[in-house]
Amino acid sequence: MTKTRKKLIAGNWKMNGTLASAAGLAVALGEGLEKEPALLEACDFAVCPPFVHLLAVRQQLPVGVALGAQDCALNREGAYTGDISVNMLVDVECDYVILGHSERRQYHGETDGQVAAKAALCYEKNLTAIICVGETEVQRAEGCQEEVVGEQLARAVPPTATAGNTVIAYEPVWAIGTGKTASPEDVKAMHSFIRRHLKEQLAEGGNMRILYGGSVKPDNAEVLMSTENVDGALVGGASLKADQFLAIARGVK
Ligand code: 13P
């Protein structure tokens, strides 16, 4: 059950860094976790570097920190210039793939249908999909956040999703990179809505992890991570510094 499962603290490094800085960040995480092994008992960890940094990060990543990609191709292989297949991600020993991040939806026109198709490809290869949902500022102002997120869940999460192969990340678009975090009340309300929706939609919906993402920082982590139905965090900016990322995990009590 969600109560006994460890929280997942996942870092989305987005389009940042160099080969050297990415590898250095992986080393720094290892050093930090070696000093504070209790964090590994409290949390599962994952980091999602840019594609071209995956291998270098894999080689430096400490035990207990899984590797993830930020997207995958919609097709298995072939003439798809610029795309990266799930097989390629398996080859560099990825465990997770972020799908449907709002930045992919906004800048690449990614649809819920495409997210579902990509998730199904991930399941074939035993990759865990981190499927992102979340409303925009306008949608929240109009009060239709539950309708928006409910529709995203219904369309982007395949019927074959299980608590093992899928993690949901609720990331209100207006809270990403803005320093504006959703209030604990808003997070509680949305996560309990997502939980109810997943339970109705899927056999294992009651056990599926639901992460919160959007300006998660060391100083708000404890409150967010102790909110009901919050099973971890998807961290952007603060995941680029090992000490901040680990300080967020320290907020898990
Ligand atoms: P920030 O933590 O920088 O707001 O980014 C959140 C995010 O988009 C993680 O996927």
Side-chain angles (χ1 to χ4, degrees):
M1 297 296 292
T2 41
K3 290 277 177 285
T4 55
R5 191 190 278 252
K6 283 186 202 175
K7 306 266 192 218
L8 171 63
I9 308 298
N12 175 7
W13 294 0
K14 306 194 181 184
M15 195 175 71
N16 291 294
T18 61
L19 259 185
S21 71
L25 184 46
V27 170
L29 286 173
E31 288 167 355
L33 288 168
E34 205 172 329
K35 282 192 212 130
E36 227 177 320
L39 294 180
L40 285 169
E41 276 157 42
C43 305
D44 289 330
F45 290 92
V47 294
C48 305
F51 287 131
V52 293
H53 298 163
L54 284 169
L55 192 54
V57 171
R58 165 89 281 159
Q59 286 161 352
Q60 303 298 336
L61 217 50
V63 173
V65 183
L67 187 65
Q70 297 174 19
D71 184 33
C72 69
L74 199 46
N75 301 90
R76 287 184 181 79
E77 67 175 342
Y80 299 100
T81 303
D83 283 345
I84 303 290
S85 72
V86 284
N87 280 340
M88 293 168 185
L89 299 179
V90 170
D91 221 13
V92 289
E93 298 173 31
C94 277
D95 304 290
Y96 291 94
V97 184
I98 298 173
L99 293 176
H101 191 281
S102 62
E103 289 149 15
R104 302 285 322 162
R105 294 173 185 266
Q106 186 180 348
Y107 304 128
H108 297 268
E110 203 155 282
T111 65
D112 289 320
Q114 289 171 338
V115 173
K118 289 178 177 189
L121 287 178
C122 287
Y123 303 160
E124 280 179 20
K125 297 292 165 189
N126 291 324
L127 290 163
T128 299
I130 302 178
I131 299 180
C132 302
V133 296
E135 79 287 355
T136 63
E137 191 154 31
V138 171
Q139 289 164 334
R140 178 157 284 264
E142 287 169 351
C144 57
Q145 63 272 14
E146 292 192 353
E147 195 185 319
V148 168
V149 170
E151 203 161 279
Q152 288 172 333
L153 291 170
R155 292 182 179 167
V157 181
T160 46
T162 66
N165 66 19
T166 303
V167 173
I168 303 299
Y170 168 58
E171 298 205 314
V173 178
W174 48 271
I176 296 176
T178 58
K180 288 189 213 168
T181 317
S183 70
E185 295 74 35
D186 288 342
V187 173
K188 186 175 172 199
M190 181 56 87
H191 278 239
S192 78
F193 167 77
I194 293 173
R195 176 67 67 213
R196 282 199 308 278
H197 201 286
L198 290 174
K199 277 185 181 168
E200 281 170 26
Q201 189 177 336
L202 300 164
E204 296 188 11
N207 290 337
M208 193 169 279
R209 273 173 168 154
I210 309 171
L211 311 185
Y212 171 77
S215 299
V216 178
K217 307 285 177 208
D219 61 1
N220 59 25
E222 189 171 339
V223 171
L224 288 166
M225 291 306 105
S226 58
T227 302
E228 209 179 329
N229 285 310
V230 174
D231 304 307
L234 185 54
V235 186
S239 71
L240 296 170
K241 298 227 163 69
D243 57 344
Q244 287 194 24
F245 189 59
L246 296 177
I248 287 169
R250 225 170 275 136
V252 173
K253 302 293 172 195

